[in-house]
Amino acid sequence: MIKAILIFNNHGKPRLSKFYEHYTEDTEQQIIRETFHLVSKRDENICNFLEGGLLIGGSENKLIYRHYATLYFVFCVDSSESELGILDLIQVFVETLDKCFENVCELDLIFHMDKVHNILAEMVMGGMVLETNMSEIITQAEAHNKMEKSEAGIAGAPARAVSAVKNMNLPEMPKNINIGDISIKVPNLPSFK
Amino acid sequence: MPAVSKGDGMRGLAVFISDIRNCKSKEAEIKRINKELANIRSKFKGDKALDGYSKKKYVCKLLFIFLLGHDIDFGHMEAVNLLSSNKYTEKQIGYLFISVLVNSNSELIRLINNAIKNDLSSRNPTFMCLALHCIANVGSREMAEAFAGEIPRILVAGDTMDSVKQSAALCLLRLYKTSPDLVLMGEWTSRVVHLLNDQHMGVVTAAISLITCLSQKNPDEFKTCVSLAVSRLSRIVSSASTDLQDYTYYFVPAPWLSCKLLRLLQCYPPPEDGAVKGRLVECLETILNKAQEPPKSKKVQHSNAKNAILFEAISLIIHYDSEPNLLVRACNQLGQFLQHRETNLRYLALESMCTLASSEFSHEAVKTHIETVINALKTERDVSVRQRAADLLYAMCDRSNAKQIVAEMLSYLETADYSIREEMVLKVAILAEKYAVDYSWYVDTILNLIRIAGDYVSEEVWYRVIQIVINRDDVQGYAAKTVFEALQAPACHENMVKVGGYILGEFGNLIAGDPRSSPLVQFNLLHSKFHLCSVPTRALLLSAYIKFINLFPETKSTIQEVLRSDSQIRNSDVELQQRAVEYLKLSSIASTDVLATVLEEMPPFPERESSILAKLKKKKGPGAVSVNELEEGKREGGELNGGGERGDNSAIAASNASTPSPSADLLGLRTGPPVTAAAPSAGSLLVDVFSEAGVNDDGFLRDLEPPTESSDSLLAEGPGDSDSAPPSVVSEDPATPLPESNELLNKFVCKNNGVLFENQLLQIGIKSEYRQNLGRMYLFYGNKTSVQFITFTTTVTCPGELQSQLNVQSKPVEPLIEGGAQVQQVINIECLTDFSDAPLLNIKFRYGGALQNLTLKLPVTINKFFQPTEMASHDFFQRWKQLSLPQQEAQKIFKANHAMDTEVLKAKLLGLGMALLENVDPNPENFVCAGVIQTKAQQVGSLLRLEPNAQAQSGEQMYRLTVRSSKDTVSKRLCELLAEQF
């Protein structure tokens, strides 16, 4: 079972947190910090698995993570999951985000938190994997998007706000943080060899 | 077209997020957030009804604030209201808010349940999915109660959309996990299992998680899933890389599902049906074969997915553990991965090999990789991988490679990551003990462990080395020498000081012969560490010092000087001060005999599971300091006084272990019960033993009672158990002594002081002294309960002919003993002529209304009246020849009950009261003694010869005991008494 899915950036700022077991809000924040601490101090090009922090159950659980540009994607899973399988799942998740957001970057996750949650919900439910087929996931996301559009019909103004934000001067990260040059299937990312 | 166009966000939200991101400080961020929270709160509370768009915007803001780690304590109601909206957008954001922010204890669950119910019956698949997601996310018991009946129906209904089926399967799984009693699969079982055959791979993907979980809990009901899983797996494995279209991931067909199918099969033993099994073996072989094929893509994802399946297949092969051919292939494959350039694969290979190592088919095959694994431990950059390598070394360790592996692990420890040191230390300690062939290697290993990673050596580890040293006499001298050498280091770890203090305190005498480690040198060495140590270690060292006084009388004045110094006797720490005061007093007032009894060598620990293993099971280890040790005695010695029983235990244990320990002797006879080992309960006895000399009663008592539990628990037991506890002990007929009283008697043949008897109510201690044909015995009756004993009377009688042989007078004893109190009785004994029986002591009292009545034998034996006689070899043999009448000699040949240890034997023979004659017997292994028994009527000269035979037939250890004396009854009686002692 997947116990938690966490996304945070290189500075430990959480960008998405989804817990499939109940923790208090304080503990959740501590788990995020602890996990960031564990993962961020690791070199690139070493293995993608490590034992979970104490708060999330210690060695009962494993942290399986990938580091893409500015973001860490961390899945905390118990022993019933295949480590390599989860790595693939992370890849599917990121590729899906990349397709849905067209060259996804950290800002997309920030400004479209609800969408990211929806996409994740198409893949993982209650800690178990619902669907691994990327086109199926994207189809669902598109369908929801269409429904939203037809209901709202207001789109123009906010779009400008977002682009304005995106062009703002953001000191702590490069402005254009594409996941890769050709969408996500790039071999030159740090976590791949 | 992208699924999410970037322009459709909400302006207010975007502005708020940008504001937050531009905040220069944490304070500014909090200020901005509080402003926003106030704004949202007022909007929610305001009169104007909010439209869906605004609600969504605010909820999104709240989610963002929550993600940043701020508590959200409102908005839940608004979110619940959104659920009943007909618009997807609003409903969806409401559910999102609830899934992130509402926990299973929320009071809103009832309202949420209503909304879910509506959505489930809406027949709108999108809404149904949202509702199912919500149930799966919250998963509370109320939700299980409301929907556990409905969801299986949705899952198996023919007209349910695939996407809804997927959600329903996982939703049901979640409810099953939280409330298994509410999810009744009965009628649905077969239809759920058949979801494995579903056309839609997504449905199979979701259903297999459900089926796996259900199979783990009810394997029999779901066992039909095995053949279905095998056929599904077979179809996937044999399909071309394009057959499964979208479920093909980087040219690997349905890797996720394959993994899950292989996991499901691991819930069951190998299929019984030959056809199914054949098909499965074929699948596994195909998977293994594919690993050798050239990759279809250079992308890492391709090999990743392929290997994910491969590792699961290997897990299944290891799980079956029945196909030697497959096991060997699996082992070879893992061997290849051990040297793969991908760190992930090396990690997983090490992990899988750990399980493979426990299979008898492959244990040897795994062992062939030992060099690679050791190399991994040394060279891997990644601590996770090194840790797996250490695990594997631990798993593959056996007698043949233990020394190598332990050495490698020790050397790795010097540079190991702090995070795994403690675990490594435990593993080294366990392996060293488990595979120790010679115990000097074990001692070296543990001392090295302390030297290298002292901080990580937990108490259990060093307790254990002490237990083993105490129980194995063959290693004691070596241990003493080794710790002595280790302590020479200018800076040694405190744990080393503890072990050193303990071992030298017990066995320092074994190396004291060498002038380089003479008693004073040992003491000075220990004392040089004293001031750098923490309080518990210093306390232990003080105990070691007092033991030194007993072992080496020549150190007495030096040690007393140390104890007397202000830094000890006025130490601000109560424990240290108390020990200093009491040990000082003890050393100055107690006679050598008393000192020797109190400070006797520790009895062997009962054989038991390693305390280190126990630590892994979170149990408390045994005591270390003598004071803790006492606790043990108490734990063991429930009914009798601890000693007797421990003696038995360890005697059995020793024979089991086939390396009998000589110190087992000590137990049976001299040590076990007496003052030290039985202390917590004997505490009160001690008070009296020493009270004449003015030792601070309370202090000594407290010192010997480790934690509070000792007396409390005994007291607590008392009244409640009063009916059930004593019957075995109370005999109806006052004339019949307790069945065990002979045994009790035997314990006192070679000693004069100790605990005679103990049950849950009463403890009887004895202190006695004999001169010529007279003896005086002090009996101490201790009330162990909190209730007073009334009409307490004791009578001493001499049955039968004993009446004319012994003259026994007892002074009356107080008829009332308060709870926890102790009374004393003096008995005067005069030996008129030689005797064989023992006087009986009958005790009657009322405890809580019930009459207690018990009879014991008083340990008055003929040897008590011995007067030692020194004589030269020539004289001895002359007298020996003089006593040559057949009836003057009594002889017994008997098996050793305890291991043979010269020192122990000597101590016992001295305790007997005769003179132990050195250099008399031409064979130095033999012992000869001489003494005269003083009775009023006559003096009976006695000579004794004890011949140990350590290698008699069939390896049994035997003794031949010969006693000659001028009176036949004396020879016979002495022989009887002594045959029980060795």
Side-chain angles (χ1 to χ4, degrees):
Chain A
M1 175 185 176
I2 300 169
K3 299 292 172 77
I5 295 174
L6 308 174
I7 305 176
F8 40 73
N9 70 8
N10 289 346
H11 305 276
K13 283 253 182 231
R15 292 310 177 209
L16 174 114
S17 72
K18 179 78 189 158
F19 288 86
Y20 295 101
E21 287 203 326
H22 181 249
Y23 298 96
T24 64
E25 287 157 27
D26 269 354
T27 319
E28 287 184 4
Q29 289 298 321
Q30 284 173 26
I31 289 174
I32 296 173
R33 275 197 295 275
E34 187 186 42
T35 309
F36 169 70
H37 196 75
L38 285 172
V39 167
S40 62
K41 69 175 183 204
R42 291 171 63 83
D43 294 347
E44 298 292 340
N45 294 329
I46 59 176
C47 89
N48 299 79
F49 326 122
L50 67 156
E51 282 183 0
L54 291 177
L55 290 169
I56 201 145
S59 54
E60 304 275 292
N61 293 319
K62 276 202 178 126
L63 299 177
I64 295 169
Y65 73 99
R66 272 202 152 151
H67 188 194
Y68 296 93
T70 63
L71 293 175
Y72 285 98
F73 287 69
V74 187
F75 281 41
C76 176
V77 304
D78 67 13
S79 62
S80 70
E81 301 291 345
S82 146
E83 289 90 346
L84 292 174
I86 294 287
L87 271 188
D88 287 342
L89 194 69
I90 297 177
Q91 180 72 13
V92 170
F93 182 38
V94 175
E95 287 187 32
T96 310
L97 289 177
D98 194 59
K99 290 225 172 80
C100 290
F101 287 103
E102 276 186 311
N103 284 350
V104 67
C105 68
E106 188 177 342
L107 285 177
D108 294 318
L109 303 194
I110 297 170
F111 288 99
H112 300 282
M113 208 186 348
D114 54 328
K115 299 256 161 34
V116 179
H117 269 286
N118 285 348
I119 291 167
L120 185 59
E122 294 299 330
M123 292 181 65
V124 180
M125 175 168 162
M128 305 306 285
V129 173
L130 186 67
E131 182 61 82
T132 56
N133 176 353
M134 211 184 312
S135 36
E136 183 79 31
I137 300 166
I138 293 169
T139 315
Q140 291 288 344
E142 273 170 355
H144 294 160
N145 203 35
K146 252 182 217 146
M147 259 190 281
E148 224 169 88
K149 282 219 170 123
S150 67
E151 279 172 7
I154 39 168
R160 284 193 295 277
V162 174
S163 55
V165 171
K166 275 201 158 180
N167 294 330
M168 275 187 305
N169 200 17
L170 302 168
E172 88 265 31
M173 63 171 113
K175 266 196 213 166
N176 192 4
I177 26 156
N178 284 345
I179 297 274
D181 36 1
I182 322 152
S183 84
I184 202 73
K185 302 165 220 116
V186 276
N188 59 343
L189 284 176
S191 61
F192 306 137
K193 285 175 219 153
Chain B
M1 183 193 96
V4 180
S5 90
K6 295 198 176 182
D8 60 357
M10 288 161 283
R11 186 161 193 278
L13 176 66
V15 169
F16 170 62
I17 294 174
S18 328
D19 280 359
I20 295 284
R21 290 169 53 79
N22 287 334
C23 284
K24 293 276 184 289
S25 65
K26 193 78 192 161
E27 288 71 33
E29 183 186 306
I30 291 172
K31 207 170 146 198
R32 179 67 184 89
I33 284 171
N34 284 337
K35 186 180 153 204
E36 193 62 36
L37 285 173
N39 171 39
I40 300 170
R41 210 187 294 258
S42 74
K43 285 280 170 19
F44 280 167
K45 290 248 170 74
D47 312 328
K48 220 169 63 178
L50 293 173
D51 59 11
Y53 170 79
S54 315
K55 279 187 192 162
K56 181 182 168 185
K57 181 175 74 186
Y58 294 131
V59 168
C60 280
K61 284 181 180 176
L62 289 179
L63 284 175
F64 185 78
I65 294 170
F66 179 75
L67 181 67
L68 292 178
H70 300 269
D71 280 358
I72 303 294
D73 54 3
F74 68 99
H76 300 78
M77 203 54 213
E78 284 69 25
V80 173
N81 287 338
L82 284 172
L83 299 185
S84 46
S85 162
N86 280 327
K87 285 189 178 165
Y88 165 77
T89 328
E90 295 180 5
K91 198 185 272 297
Q92 182 266 335
I93 203 78
Y95 275 123
L96 176 59
F97 184 93
I98 286 164
S99 70
V100 174
L101 273 166
V102 174
N103 65 51
S104 50
N105 303 321
S106 169
E107 295 155 13
L108 294 170
I109 293 284
R110 215 169 34 81
L111 293 171
I112 298 170
N113 275 0
N114 270 335
I116 292 176
K117 198 163 282 173
N118 289 335
D119 284 334
L120 282 184
S121 52
S122 69
R123 311 201 59 75
N124 173 333
T126 311
F127 289 2
M128 286 172 87
C129 282
L130 282 175
L132 290 167
H133 266 101
C134 183
I135 301 173
N137 276 317
V138 179
S140 71
R141 185 145 183 102
E142 283 103 321
M143 284 191 172
E145 279 162 1
F147 305 112
E150 171 76 359
I151 293 167
R153 207 187 47 72
I154 297 174
L155 175 60
V156 298
D159 57 347
T160 306
M161 301 258 302
D162 288 334
S163 62
V164 178
K165 261 191 201 171
Q166 284 171 272
S167 302
L170 293 184
C171 183
L172 189 60
L173 171 56
R174 176 61 196 256
L175 294 185
Y176 183 76
K177 278 183 180 165
T178 49
S179 319
D181 53 315
L182 295 176
V183 179
L184 303 170
M185 291 311 296
E187 49 184 318
W188 312 113
T189 304
S190 138
R191 296 169 78 180
V192 168
V193 171
H194 276 87
L195 289 172
L196 287 177
N197 265 340
D198 201 283
Q199 298 272 317
H200 191 274
M201 294 278 272
V203 174
V204 188
T205 303
I208 195 157
S209 292
L210 173 66
I211 294 166
T212 304
C213 179
L214 291 169
S215 300
Q216 278 160 352
K217 298 280 161 54
N218 328 283
D220 285 343
E221 288 171 51
F222 283 84
K223 66 169 178 253
T224 48
C225 71
V226 172
S227 60
L228 289 174
V230 169
S231 63
R232 187 97 217 187
L233 180 69
S234 163
R235 270 179 281 158
I236 296 173
V237 170
S238 57
S239 63
S241 55
T242 47
D243 287 357
L244 298 168
Q245 294 167 359
D246 290 338
Y247 284 90
T248 297
Y249 173 88
Y250 290 90
F251 307 103
V252 181
W256 180 267
L257 184 54
S258 306
C259 288
K260 285 286 168 184
L261 285 165
L262 289 161
R263 282 268 164 152
L264 171 61
L265 291 170
Q266 286 173 52
C267 302
Y268 289 93
E272 284 157 18
D273 182 332
V276 177
K277 188 171 182 189
R279 206 166 174 196
L280 179 57
V281 168
E282 209 172 283
C283 283
L284 295 171
E285 278 169 348
T286 314
I287 294 170
L288 287 169
N289 291 341
K290 278 190 183 172
Q292 306 301 332
E293 287 171 12
K296 294 196 174 67
S297 153
K298 286 201 173 119
K299 290 239 160 51
V300 67
Q301 284 82 359
H302 170 71
S303 63
N304 203 32
K306 216 164 96 172
N307 292 328
I309 301 172
L310 182 57
F311 273 106
E312 287 306 324
I314 290 174
S315 294
L316 184 63
I317 292 168
I318 296 172
H319 168 76
Y320 285 165
D321 197 17
S322 61
E323 301 281 329
N325 175 35
L326 287 177
L327 276 167
V328 169
R329 287 191 69 181
C331 190
N332 291 340
Q333 183 63 57
L334 292 178
Q336 282 182 25
F337 281 145
L338 282 183
Q339 319 223 34
H340 202 279
R341 57 188 176 82
E342 271 276 337
T343 318
N344 287 341
L345 297 181
R346 294 198 302 274
Y347 174 98
L348 293 172
L350 288 167
E351 195 179 53
S352 291
M353 273 214 174
C354 258
T355 45
L356 201 56
S358 57
S359 157
E360 56 168 317
F361 293 117
S362 44
H363 182 77
E364 290 303 315
V366 171
K367 271 166 65 184
T368 60
H369 298 287
I370 183 165
E371 297 301 333
T372 318
V373 180
I374 288 172
N375 199 37
L377 188 65
K378 286 178 178 162
T379 57
E380 281 289 349
R381 286 169 57 218
D382 186 351
V383 56
S384 314
V385 184
R386 288 197 300 270
Q387 197 167 352
R388 289 290 89 86
D391 288 348
L392 178 54
L393 282 179
Y394 180 73
M396 66 162 68
C397 189
D398 62 18
R399 215 167 278 285
S400 70
N401 55 19
K403 286 202 176 173
Q404 184 188 11
I405 285 180
V406 166
E408 291 296 345
M409 285 172 105
L410 270 178
S411 76
Y412 171 60
L413 252 182
E414 308 209 27
T415 52
D417 306 79
Y418 295 106
S419 55
I420 66 173
R421 281 193 183 188
E422 186 173 358
E423 199 190 322
M424 290 286 295
V425 166
L426 282 176
K427 285 184 167 162
V428 170
I430 290 171
L431 292 179
E433 184 186 335
K434 199 167 165 190
Y435 299 115
V437 189
D438 63 303
Y439 278 85
S440 49
W441 173 72
Y442 170 76
V443 169
D444 282 339
T445 305
I446 301 295
L447 293 184
N448 268 329
L449 207 52
I450 295 175
R451 199 160 30 222
I452 293 167
D455 283 344
Y456 299 88
V457 171
S458 58
E459 290 188 327
E460 287 79 0
V461 173
W462 73 263
Y463 287 0
R464 187 66 185 160
V465 69
I466 283 173
Q467 283 180 12
I468 288 185
V469 168
I470 285 185
N471 289 13
R472 309 267 161 192
D473 60 315
D474 48 345
V475 78
Q476 287 162 356
Y478 182 79
K481 182 169 153 280
T482 320
V483 287
F484 179 78
E485 279 161 9
L487 287 173
Q488 303 290 338
C492 57
H493 195 270
E494 195 167 330
N495 280 334
M496 187 69 88
V497 178
K498 288 180 185 166
V499 175
Y502 199 106
I503 289 186
L504 291 181
E506 294 290 330
F507 308 113
N509 53 330
L510 300 176
I511 55 167
D514 187 328
R516 285 167 300 176
S517 54
S518 71
L520 265 181
V521 174
Q522 287 185 38
F523 170 74
N524 287 333
L525 179 61
L526 280 181
H527 200 55
S528 68
K529 315 285 179 194
F530 187 89
H531 299 281
L532 301 169
C533 293
S534 64
V535 168
T537 308
R538 289 190 198 188
L540 185 151
L541 285 178
L542 288 179
S543 296
Y545 296 171
I546 185 76
K547 290 226 159 195
F548 266 49
I549 293 185
N550 178 44
L551 287 180
F552 316 116
E554 65 266 40
T555 59
K556 184 167 172 177
S557 58
T558 316
I559 291 175
Q560 281 183 332
E561 201 54 44
V562 167
L563 292 175
R564 203 175 288 127
S565 71
D566 278 358
S567 62
Q568 308 297 353
I569 212 158
R570 286 169 206 237
N571 196 297
S572 60
D573 185 88
V574 179
E575 177 68 27
L576 293 180
Q577 188 189 94
Q578 197 164 341
R579 285 190 190 218
V581 169
E582 286 166 9
Y583 290 159
L584 181 60
K585 203 73 186 168
L586 177 66
S587 67
S588 45
I589 57 136
S591 69
T592 340
D593 277 1
V594 172
L595 211 55
T597 314
V598 174
L599 301 171
E600 213 148 13
E601 191 180 301
M602 296 308 287
F605 290 80
E607 290 289 331
R608 67 173 79 154
E609 186 183 23
S610 159
S611 54
I612 310 170
L613 283 172
K615 172 174 173 122
L616 296 177
K617 295 175 187 166
K618 310 258 165 171
K619 275 185 196 158
K620 194 179 165 253
V625 195
S626 57
V627 164
N628 288 345
E629 188 13 23
L630 299 177
E631 233 181 313
E632 296 250 300
K634 183 208 66 203
R635 258 186 258 136
E636 314 257 310
E639 16 351 299
L640 290 176
N641 74 43
E645 190 180 307
R646 300 181 73 190
D648 296 344
N649 279 351
S650 53
I652 295 164
S655 59
N656 285 347
S658 81
T659 38
S661 131
S663 27
D665 263 359
L666 282 176
L667 272 199
L669 280 176
R670 289 173 44 206
T671 341
V675 234
T676 21
S681 37
S684 46
L685 171 71
L686 276 171
V687 174
D688 272 55
V689 171
F690 297 110
S691 61
E692 298 156 83
V695 172
N696 171 344
D697 297 5
D698 286 357
F700 207 87
L701 182 58
R702 246 185 288 131
D703 186 32
L704 281 162
E705 269 177 348
T708 49
E709 58 186 73
S710 62
S711 53
D712 285 357
S713 57
L714 285 172
L715 290 181
E717 267 171 32
D721 290 354
S722 62
D723 295 332
S724 56
S728 63
V729 162
V730 176
S731 67
E732 291 299 305
D733 177 5
T736 322
L738 296 180
E740 65 266 37
S741 55
N742 273 330
E743 213 176 295
L744 299 177
L745 187 73
N746 278 330
K747 285 196 317 197
F748 283 85
V749 169
C750 294
K751 67 176 183 183
N752 289 333
N753 305 328
V755 177
L756 174 64
F757 172 80
E758 186 164 9
N759 67 10
Q760 275 141 323
L761 306 177
L762 179 69
Q763 183 196 55
I764 307 174
I766 283 190
K767 196 191 159 206
S768 51
E769 52 196 21
Y770 295 88
R771 202 168 304 129
Q772 305 287 343
N773 66 327
L774 300 176
R776 177 173 292 167
M777 185 179 270
Y778 299 86
L779 290 170
F780 302 92
Y781 302 98
N783 179 349
K784 286 168 64 179
T785 72
S786 52
V787 182
Q788 55 180 215
F789 294 161
I790 51 170
T791 63
F792 189 89
T793 53
T794 67
T795 42
V796 181
T797 51
C798 294
E801 57 174 353
L802 191 60
Q803 241 168 346
S804 58
Q805 296 164 335
L806 272 188
N807 184 5
V808 182
Q809 292 173 336
S810 54
K811 303 213 167 131
V813 66
E814 293 282 327
L816 190 128
I817 310 181
E818 294 292 345
Q822 191 186 59
V823 299
Q824 180 185 331
Q825 185 180 28
V826 183
I827 296 174
N828 291 318
I829 305 155
E830 186 184 12
C831 178
L832 302 172
T833 181
D834 71 281
F835 62 96
S836 299
D837 276 342
L840 297 179
L841 170 70
N842 174 251
I843 299 158
K844 288 198 185 103
F845 61 94
R846 284 190 174 275
Y847 163 72
L851 178 69
Q852 310 288 328
N853 182 351
L854 62 129
T855 303
L856 301 164
K857 285 190 176 173
L858 271 187
V860 181
T861 45
I862 185 70
N863 63 295
K864 300 292 177 194
F865 303 94
F866 256 126
Q867 198 68 356
T869 317
E870 293 290 345
M871 60 183 76
S873 176
H874 173 74
D875 294 338
F876 181 86
F877 285 107
Q878 194 175 13
R879 285 171 206 230
W880 184 263
K881 279 176 200 149
Q882 282 167 6
L883 299 169
S884 55
L885 293 176
Q887 65 268 33
Q888 285 174 329
E889 181 183 289
Q891 192 173 65
K892 266 198 171 178
I893 296 172
F894 52 91
K895 276 187 208 166
N897 287 321
H898 313 282
M900 291 177 175
D901 179 294
T902 313
E903 292 305 313
V904 177
L905 286 172
K906 278 185 185 169
K908 278 184 188 171
L909 290 167
L910 283 174
L912 188 66
M914 301 174 86
L916 181 61
L917 304 177
E918 305 277 354
N919 306 320
V920 170
D921 200 303
N923 180 351
E925 301 288 306
N926 295 345
F927 301 92
V928 294
C929 303
V932 178
I933 289 173
Q934 309 278 343
T935 73
K936 197 178 177 191
Q938 73 213 97
Q939 296 191 339
V940 185
S942 305
L943 301 174
L944 173 152
R945 191 182 195 198
L946 181 68
E947 298 160 281
N949 184 353
Q951 271 91 37
Q953 74 276 31
S954 73
E956 294 270 17
Q957 300 195 314
M958 303 291 289
Y959 288 103
R960 183 164 68 184
L961 174 70
T962 318
V963 182
R964 288 187 178 187
S965 65
S966 49
K967 215 171 169 192
D968 54 347
T969 44
V970 171
S971 302
K972 198 166 152 259
R973 180 61 181 156
L974 280 176
C975 210
E976 276 169 21
L977 285 172
L978 280 173
E980 300 296 319
Q981 304 298 325
F982 302 107

